[in-house]
Amino acid sequence: MSAEPAPSIAIAPKRKSAFLSEPAILIPSVVLGLLVLVALFAPFLGTIDPTQFDPTLRNKLPGHVGTVRALDGTETPFVYRMGTDNLGRDIYSRVIYGTRISLIVGALVALVSTILGLTIGLVAGYVRWLDGFVMRIMDGLMAIPPILLAIALVSLSRAGLVAVIIAIAVPDIPRVVRLVRAVVLSIREEPYVEAAITAGTPTPTLLVRHILPNCIAPLIVQATFVCASAILVESILSFLGVGLPPEEPSWGNIMAAGRQYFRIFPHNILFPGIFIAATVLCVNVLGDALRDRLDPKLRKRV
Amino acid sequence: MLSYIARRLVQTVPVMLIVAVFVFLMLRIGPNDPASILAGDNANAEQVAAIRQNLGLDRPLLSQLFVWLGAILTGDFGESFFFKKQVSALILDRLEPTFMLALCTIVLAVVVAVPLGVIAAMRRGSLIDRLVMGFSVMGFSVPVFVIGYALIYVFAIKLNWLPVQGYSRLADGLPAFLRSIALPSMTLAIIYVALLARMTRTSVLEVLGEDYIRTAYSRGLTPLQVLVRHALPNAAVPIVTVIGLGVALLIGGVVVTESVFAIPGLGRLTVDAVLARDFPTIQAIILLFSFVYVMVNLVIDIAYTFFDPRIRY
């Protein structure tokens, strides 16, 4: 189909050039880009093995100068920039490596829940006889408070990254399904969809070529918010001790390890807390800015 | 009106039924075998088989489901694997702290958030508006437990005004209760305030653009009169809806907050039950919290008809 210029395309050039000049989009994008770089190059940022513990270096304050013993017995001096935790692990290294886990969890949960939600939503919105059944199940899932559902789901299997990602993604699926279904229901009555049906377009092609593109903008916005909340929920699960195994350097685990000693050594919670707040804040600000841009109806309202 | 209430009540039945079936299947088709959890690590095969028969786990899945559903309707959630007590008794024991925490949080959040949202809307684009919106985004971005520890650090450790942890029952005196609940409800209220202030602002802004508001001003009403008599009543429905939807957030927050402040409530019980793989307790808690969530939103739906006479069913 040739793209007939819709009214919104008339302002497209202006939009494009303004996209990155808007601070609400530029600043979080830059910070998140830096965090991705931190995650990728974690081994080269002056870190040591984040799981290496040393009983002689327990609960040291930030800036402590100690030595790191390698496997062959050689000792090199090392500055513990953010101090050490209750097992003598370097908090700086754990926080830096923790970036990896948080970003992976955020991105994968957003991806998994979006893909599954999109598929179910498209089918429910288009295949009418399935709609009632599917939506009742989604209503049931949505009646369970999300964090509670995630906690219950991780309790079913051994703690690991995959289990955590699935447990966080499942509660988000019904919300994506609802969104997609609402778009499908509003689009399927459009003349061009009816025209495509009359032209004999097979249903799968119809869904992918004509209906799916309309879901993309709201889905991107939704995925951003899912990503932000996934990072938070992962830290909550780890913090409660039901998430990733405690030796994994995730921000939640670092804080969980620091809980008991919090009164004397608040840095155990402070540093990972700052990282997680900054990351989630950036994703949320980006999500708000994208929603304002991609959803003009909402923008006019607010 | 009565028929509407009845219809809405009936609509919650399939939702709760699906939750119940889901909760039931979670344990039965998951990789965990309740009989071997209950038997412990040192049990032999016969002991496990005996427990299985005792629990009725050898019967067909569907008949197990009906037996289980029937028991739940009579308030029997089985015996806790870990605490070796009736789950219903266990839950009743833990109800007060959680209920009080939730109640104080909602009251605190409404009292703080609604005025903030209204001021932000009235002074749109001002410094106050930006601060409220900034705070709102921040509230969504900081994990509940980090907020909790920050408050403990400032108010309990540095200033020494309030206890660090623990819960004092209402029966032990109001002052002690209020002191023990202050920090937990402040912690939990932050995310709720973030949500509510935002919704209040949006909702009031929308109403302020209406013609009747301009008319009210032109009749010489002061901004306060316009707000109280015209803007707020019309903005109330979405605000109250969000209070209801926020209960899901609140329940999640309760689990975390009770762990941070060592409050012996349902949230703490949830975490203990999950760590101990105590499935009857987990199932009962999920059912209970979901039921509360569904009922709160049902009550709010019905309350609309009182708030907004334009809504007729």
Side-chain angles (χ1 to χ4, degrees):
Chain A
M1 275 185 75
S2 65
E4 197 59 32
S8 66
I9 296 186
I11 53 163
K14 190 181 151 202
R15 252 195 198 178
K16 208 171 187 178
S17 62
F19 198 72
L20 274 178
S21 64
E22 193 177 310
I25 291 179
L26 182 69
I27 297 170
S29 303
V30 169
V31 176
L32 288 173
L34 284 175
L35 282 167
V36 171
L37 290 178
V38 166
L40 284 174
F41 297 106
F44 309 106
L45 295 171
T47 54
I48 54 173
D49 179 358
T51 58
Q52 181 180 338
F53 55 89
D54 184 343
T56 61
L57 284 168
R58 285 157 53 181
N59 290 324
K60 294 294 179 214
L61 290 174
H64 178 82
V65 184
T67 52
V68 174
R69 189 175 309 186
L71 282 174
D72 56 9
T74 52
E75 293 189 345
T76 40
F78 184 77
V79 183
Y80 292 88
R81 292 180 188 80
M82 298 183 183
T84 61
D85 67 8
N86 58 334
L87 294 175
R89 293 175 295 204
D90 178 32
I91 292 180
Y92 170 74
S93 301
R94 289 179 75 72
V95 168
I96 294 295
Y97 275 94
T99 315
R100 286 185 170 179
I101 292 181
S102 284
L103 293 185
I104 288 173
V105 168
L108 284 186
V109 167
L111 199 69
V112 169
S113 61
T114 304
I115 290 175
L116 287 178
L118 177 66
T119 315
I120 301 173
L122 280 179
V123 172
Y126 203 81
V127 186
R128 301 307 299 158
W129 58 272
L130 264 174
D131 187 42
F133 175 70
V134 171
M135 291 321 287
R136 288 300 79 71
I137 290 185
M138 293 302 140
D139 286 348
L141 272 182
M142 277 175 78
I144 307 174
I147 292 183
L148 204 61
L149 182 54
I151 290 175
L153 287 174
V154 282
S155 76
L156 289 180
S157 62
R158 223 163 277 281
L161 195 58
V162 177
V164 166
I165 288 171
I166 293 173
I168 302 175
V170 168
D172 285 318
I173 291 174
R175 288 156 184 90
V176 180
V177 171
R178 277 203 166 181
L179 181 78
V180 173
R181 178 177 169 272
V183 176
V184 174
L185 288 183
S186 68
I187 296 298
R188 54 178 287 148
E189 307 299 331
E190 295 278 326
Y192 69 85
V193 174
E194 281 174 15
I197 297 172
T198 320
T201 316
T203 306
T205 317
L206 185 80
L207 285 176
V208 172
R209 286 264 296 277
H210 300 296
I211 293 186
L212 178 69
N214 290 288
C215 302
I216 288 176
L219 270 181
I220 289 176
V221 175
Q222 177 81 2
T224 321
F225 292 127
V226 167
C227 172
S229 91
I231 295 175
L232 279 182
V233 175
E234 184 279 319
S235 81
I236 287 173
L237 292 180
S238 296
F239 175 78
L240 293 174
V242 298
L244 293 168
E247 68 275 8
E248 287 286 331
S250 98
W251 290 335
N253 275 339
I254 304 169
M255 293 188 265
R259 268 171 89 170
Q260 290 168 267
Y261 307 92
F262 167 74
R263 290 187 208 193
I264 322 158
F265 306 109
H267 61 274
N268 286 1
I269 289 190
L270 178 72
F271 292 117
I274 290 174
F275 266 75
I276 197 161
T279 309
V280 180
L281 185 67
C282 285
V283 181
N284 273 333
V285 170
L286 196 62
D288 278 349
L290 285 177
R291 185 191 51 202
D292 290 350
R293 283 212 158 244
L294 298 176
D295 194 346
K297 248 182 273 163
L298 211 80
R299 192 187 199 186
K300 223 184 335 179
R301 257 184 55 195
V302 179
Chain B
M1 181 72 200
L2 269 178
S3 77
Y4 170 69
I5 295 176
R7 206 169 63 234
R8 289 290 287 116
L9 263 173
V10 170
Q11 277 171 3
T12 62
V13 173
V15 171
M16 282 315 297
L17 197 66
I18 285 165
V19 173
V21 170
F22 180 80
V23 163
F24 172 79
L25 288 179
M26 203 179 86
L27 178 53
R28 298 301 141 90
I29 59 176
N32 296 284
D33 176 23
S36 31
I37 295 174
L38 204 53
D41 294 334
N42 302 321
N44 57 34
E46 285 97 67
Q47 283 169 315
V48 174
I51 291 173
R52 191 183 311 269
Q53 199 172 9
N54 221 348
L55 290 176
L57 293 174
D58 49 351
R59 278 180 278 175
L61 205 61
L62 209 60
S63 93
Q64 282 186 49
L65 173 65
F66 284 116
V67 169
W68 186 72
L69 282 177
I72 281 174
L73 288 177
T74 60
D76 174 15
F77 292 96
E79 196 192 352
S80 156
F81 288 178
F82 181 67
F83 296 94
K84 306 291 176 199
K85 269 172 82 173
Q86 282 297 309
V87 173
S88 45
L90 200 60
I91 285 181
L92 275 179
D93 250 16
R94 307 287 195 110
L95 216 51
E96 188 206 300
T98 302
F99 177 76
M100 285 304 180
L101 176 57
L103 191 69
C104 293
T105 303
I106 293 179
V107 171
L108 184 66
V110 172
V111 167
V112 173
V114 172
L116 277 183
V118 168
I119 295 170
M122 302 278 283
R123 301 263 175 280
R124 187 185 186 181
S126 69
L127 184 66
I128 292 176
D129 184 22
R130 278 155 198 265
L131 282 178
V132 170
M133 291 306 281
F135 170 81
S136 166
V137 186
M138 277 300 289
F140 283 123
S141 307
V142 185
V144 183
F145 53 90
V146 174
I147 296 172
Y149 281 115
L151 291 177
I152 291 179
Y153 191 74
V154 175
F155 291 104
I157 297 176
K158 286 289 155 200
L159 296 171
N160 209 5
W161 288 352
L162 294 160
V164 174
Q165 283 177 324
Y167 175 75
S168 170
R169 288 185 183 262
L170 197 53
D172 301 337
L174 192 62
F177 163 76
L178 286 177
R179 277 169 57 84
S180 75
I181 205 85
L183 285 182
S185 36
M186 268 164 76
T187 303
L188 201 46
I190 291 208
I191 189 163
Y192 221 132
V193 169
L195 182 75
L196 261 176
R198 207 170 221 234
M199 194 64 226
T200 307
R201 176 183 178 273
T202 309
S203 174
V204 170
L205 265 182
E206 205 169 321
V207 171
L208 286 180
E210 299 284 341
D211 290 339
Y212 56 80
I213 297 290
R214 206 161 355 116
T215 313
Y217 273 118
S218 68
R219 274 169 44 214
L221 267 64
T222 64
L224 191 68
Q225 284 171 317
V226 173
L227 184 74
V228 174
R229 294 243 295 268
H230 298 278
L232 270 184
N234 284 294
V237 170
I239 298 173
V240 177
T241 310
V242 167
I243 294 179
L245 293 176
V247 169
L249 219 59
L250 184 73
I251 291 169
V254 159
V255 177
V256 183
T257 312
E258 289 187 355
S259 292
V260 170
F261 289 93
I263 297 173
L266 285 176
R268 205 43 225 273
L269 183 64
T270 313
V271 178
D272 291 343
V274 167
L275 288 175
R277 300 268 190 267
D278 182 356
F279 289 105
T281 311
I282 300 174
Q283 291 178 315
I285 292 174
I286 295 179
L287 277 176
L288 178 71
F289 274 139
S290 307
F291 182 71
V292 169
Y293 178 50
V294 168
M295 282 302 139
V296 166
N297 284 288
L298 174 74
V299 168
I300 285 174
D301 263 11
I302 292 170
Y304 282 164
T305 43
F306 296 105
F307 275 110
D308 197 336
R310 283 170 304 185
I311 300 177
R312 281 272 170 262
Y313 299 94

